[in-house]
Amino acid sequence: MTEVKHWQNFIAGEWVDGSESIDVYDPATGEVFASMAAADAADIDRAVQAARACVASGELTDCRPAVRAEMLHRIAAEIRALAEEGAPLLVQESGKSLDDAMGEFTTAARYFEYYAGMADKIEGKSIPLGNDYVDFTYYEPMGVSAQIVPWNFPVDICARSLAPALAAGNAVVVKTPENTPLAMLLLAKACQNAGLPDGALSIINGYGHSTGAQLVAHPGIDQIVFTGSVATGQAILRCAADRALPCVMELGGKSAAVVFNDADMDQLLSSVKWGIFFNAGQVCSAMSRMLVQRAIYDQVVAAVKDLSESLQMGAGMDNADLTPLASADQQNRVASIVNRAKEEGARLVTGGDVPQRAGYFFEATVFADVTPDMSIFRDEVFGPVLAITPFDTEEEAWELANGTEFGLVAGVFTHDLTRAMRASRKLQAGQVFVNEWYAGGIETPFGGIKLSGYGREKGQEALYSYVHTKNVAIRVT
Ligand code: NAD
């Protein structure tokens, strides 16, 4: 029998238990392997009060910014040191591949290094108002940033918001996703080892409808950073409206790759493998739709079928091509959306079922001849499911690509640079990839438009989600 290890919340520099605990499952086997303390209202209050006290003490803001930069560099080094321990844990709780899990820790460390480099460059402006005035702006941290993280890239996404928030001098209270909370807690360990002041970071666990909802409604927070589903984002925005709290909303997507007749087939297929089957398609910016120009449509559908059928399904620890979904709930959700697509008449090219094996796996699935009236064209699946639609003209392609309520990312495959530039203007999305899905990095601003949310993470731009601008005008004559 597997030993069930118990994990605690990290509140104000201490590891503390909760009144309740939540089981953590291994998606590759469906077995419970750990339990996690859930934070209740009193725990949340303690975390927020500690963050408030940290803000009030000026510990993060009264120092020279270079001191904060050094702190972030130390945290990055600690994260790298914890990767060997953390990556297998992340595999066990999420089902993802070991390479991907290691990549999350590396990326998390990179976020801290990147924003360490910016911590001492958050500079205001001097604004000319004539000889009678001196006018300048400076940036002030928001205060207490409440951050809610989803389960698909918990370590990466936690660091993505935490690093710029700390770089700007905020204190942070993070809520983990209930089914993948463990590896993320190592970020608290890294911060503790690096000497981050107590209260500057608390990481609390618990269900969204209780712990999450209580955190975002707490009167002691000054900002909400939410990454997750549209429905939860909307519920949080309603709550934030009561106090006019600033929010960053990183929500879902249904992103399309537009493939023109002159696309390079090798580039396209490696982008498909990465774009929709990486992490079993549980990526907000996944290539969940593909629009293919008519002359190469049959050829592309056949090549994507071969690719999908060549993928080896297996456990994350074996670095299989197709790893399990993160939970039984997610497996049921994917199965139900796929069944609906079949009923609505989408042509099933390959896959389409839960395989006969333990764990929360789902077959690599491809639908062709998908039309805009079908739910599989519009609804986010968050699984290894690709919907392919043919098109004839460029104008039709833009209309199809923009024809959902989402606007997170989009891609174009063509060697016509003029057309690629047109695509970059016509596609309604926060990021446009040309000839490589996921082109970009932690340095490039990321976020959505439409129902995919607003605000930007990553890049220099993200830092300004964590500060207010203050203008000071001085009459000098
Ligand atoms: P989810 O909305 O169910 O949960 C996300 C987080 O919100 C979890 O920590 C959950 O506990 C918490 N939560 C749930 N209800 C809450 C409430 N009422 N108040 C406060 N917190 C609450 O989403 P999910 O299923 O975990 O993640 C998948 C979704 O996230 C997909 O739609 C995906 O596209 C999106 N996502 C977006 C990005 C991005 O950067 N745009 C990145 C990853 C995932």
Side-chain angles (χ1 to χ4, degrees), residues 257-272:
V258 182
V259 182
F260 287 97
N261 289 338
D262 64 340
D264 179 301
M265 205 52 73
D266 290 340
Q267 260 177 350
L268 175 65
L269 290 176
S270 74
S271 278
V272 172

Side-chain angles (χ1 to χ4, degrees), residues 148-153 157 160 175-178 206-209 212-213 216 226-230 232-233 235-236 250-253 283-284 330 380 382 408 446 452:
I148 309 271
V149 176
W151 43 261
N152 57 341
F153 293 95
I157 291 176
R160 180 174 89 178
K175 192 200 83 67
T176 64
E178 45 269 60
Y207 292 113
H209 60 80
V216 297
F226 174 73
T227 308
S229 64
V230 173
T232 307
I236 290 174
E250 294 284 358
L251 309 179
V283 185
C284 51
Q330 191 58 18
E380 184 180 42
F382 227 55
L408 192 53
F446 178 82
S452 295

Side-chain angles (χ1 to χ4, degrees), residues 51-71:
R52 284 245 70 84
C54 178
V55 168
S57 74
E59 250 185 301
L60 289 175
T61 44
D62 290 354
C63 58
R64 270 184 96 111
V67 174
R68 274 204 312 277
E70 283 162 19
M71 169 73 64

